[in-house]
Amino acid sequence: MQDRSGEAIVEMVDALTTNFTSFMREASHFDFLRRKIGPVLAKRNQARIWCAAAATGQEPYSILFTLLDTLGPDADVRVLATDISTKALASVASAVYSDSAVSGLPRGWLDRFFIKGNGRWAGWHRVKAELRARVECRRFNLLSSELPDKQFPAIFCRNVMIYFDRPTQELVIHRLVQRLEPGGYFFVGHSETANCARQELTYVMPAVYRKGDQWQSKR
Ligand SMILES: C[S@@+](CC[C@H](N)C(=O)[O-])C[C@H]1O[C@@H](n2cnc3c(N)ncnc32)[C@H](O)[C@@H]1O
């Protein structure tokens, strides 16, 4: 039987890949985002970050909340959230999370960034509509989809390359780095490396790399 709509393939991918994620996962990255990238973005009139394996949304919203907390609530911050799984992307768009999912968020963030569910939604929290609108969801296969048409000061591609063999990791990193600004930062998961891309990326700290050295030379 032919799968003309591609739905069967999407369902198979959803079944095979794990969407495990959490808010502020690998917290040192969000500290780095705040301390090192925040001041650079503060000098611009907009900040656009790409989260390239966004799963169910905890990572792109963690990026958004961290930057709004750092740059102020009126800062023009947007996150491109991509994933191969359409099911995961639907969760990013609806942005509804359980008590336990939001329990690790910094103090005060729940009130600032979420609305609390009532009635049958008691125990659930939804990201406020004006914040959901700042996260663009798009289906994107790291191996083959057409790259976004802009460059980003930071790209997160965390905890997905562990599923790929080394040549595939090299391909994915090479593709994404094309959409990283010179001097921009590339984040992988703490159990991953981008050491295979030494010609394009400089190691900064565990699981953080920088494209070229432009930002460093200006400091
Ligand atoms: C374990 S989750 C990691 C989520 C998040 N980045 C984190 O670190 O918490 C891996 C995600 O990668 C996605 N994924 C797997 N293969 C992919 C591919 N070829 N292109 C894009 N996303 C992919 C899965 O759908 C899943 O949502």
Side-chain angles (χ1 to χ4, degrees):
M1 194 176 74
Q2 281 188 315
D3 173 30
R4 293 193 190 282
S5 68
E7 276 307 306
I9 299 265
V10 169
E11 274 176 32
M12 189 181 77
V13 168
D14 279 345
L16 289 176
T17 56
T18 161
N19 295 134
F20 176 79
T21 184
S22 59
F23 284 106
M24 310 303 280
R25 183 181 190 182
E26 300 177 1
S28 63
H29 284 168
F30 296 96
D31 188 46
F32 187 89
L33 182 62
R34 174 189 299 279
R35 286 185 302 99
K36 294 286 186 191
I37 305 182
V40 176
L41 297 177
K43 295 180 189 147
R44 306 180 178 189
N45 54 16
Q46 62 172 36
R48 302 285 182 264
I49 309 294
W50 182 10
C51 180
T56 44
Q58 288 89 332
E59 185 178 39
Y61 288 116
S62 297
I63 295 168
L64 179 69
F65 301 158
T66 300
L67 286 177
L68 291 176
D69 194 53
T70 308
L71 303 174
D74 298 327
D76 182 5
V77 180
R78 287 176 187 276
V79 180
L80 172 62
T82 64
D83 201 282
I84 198 170
S85 161
T86 49
K87 209 166 162 185
L89 288 172
S91 299
V92 184
S94 61
V96 175
Y97 301 99
S98 66
D99 272 337
S100 64
V102 299
S103 62
L105 283 172
R107 186 185 293 269
W109 282 22
L110 207 49
D111 289 340
R112 272 166 72 192
F113 299 132
F114 292 80
I115 48 172
K116 208 171 156 68
N118 292 315
R120 75 182 184 95
W121 287 106
W124 294 85
H125 308 265
R126 188 172 199 193
V127 176
K128 290 180 177 174
E130 65 268 29
L131 302 176
R132 295 200 305 271
R134 290 166 178 252
V135 173
E136 182 191 347
C137 302
R138 202 185 296 175
R139 183 164 189 266
F140 181 88
N141 185 340
L142 292 163
L143 280 59
S144 56
S145 294
E146 190 178 332
L147 291 166
D149 59 8
K150 59 164 85 70
Q151 289 196 310
F152 298 85
I155 297 176
F156 286 68
C157 184
R158 304 189 310 163
N159 301 301
V160 59
M161 279 185 294
I162 32 168
Y163 300 112
F164 302 150
D165 61 18
R166 196 180 158 100
T168 309
Q169 292 175 2
E170 285 178 19
L171 169 76
V172 168
I173 294 170
H174 178 69
R175 274 167 52 75
L176 297 193
V177 167
Q178 290 176 53
R179 289 299 177 268
L180 197 57
E181 289 178 5
Y185 289 95
F186 188 71
F187 295 80
V188 298
H190 276 85
S191 58
E192 301 166 325
T193 78
N195 291 341
C196 59
R198 283 208 187 87
Q199 300 203 327
E200 298 170 286
L201 294 172
T202 309
Y203 174 86
V204 176
M205 64 175 231
V208 183
Y209 297 81
R210 197 186 63 239
K211 184 174 177 177
D213 60 359
Q214 287 84 341
W215 284 9
Q216 192 180 50
S217 62
K218 282 183 190 160
R219 283 198 186 122

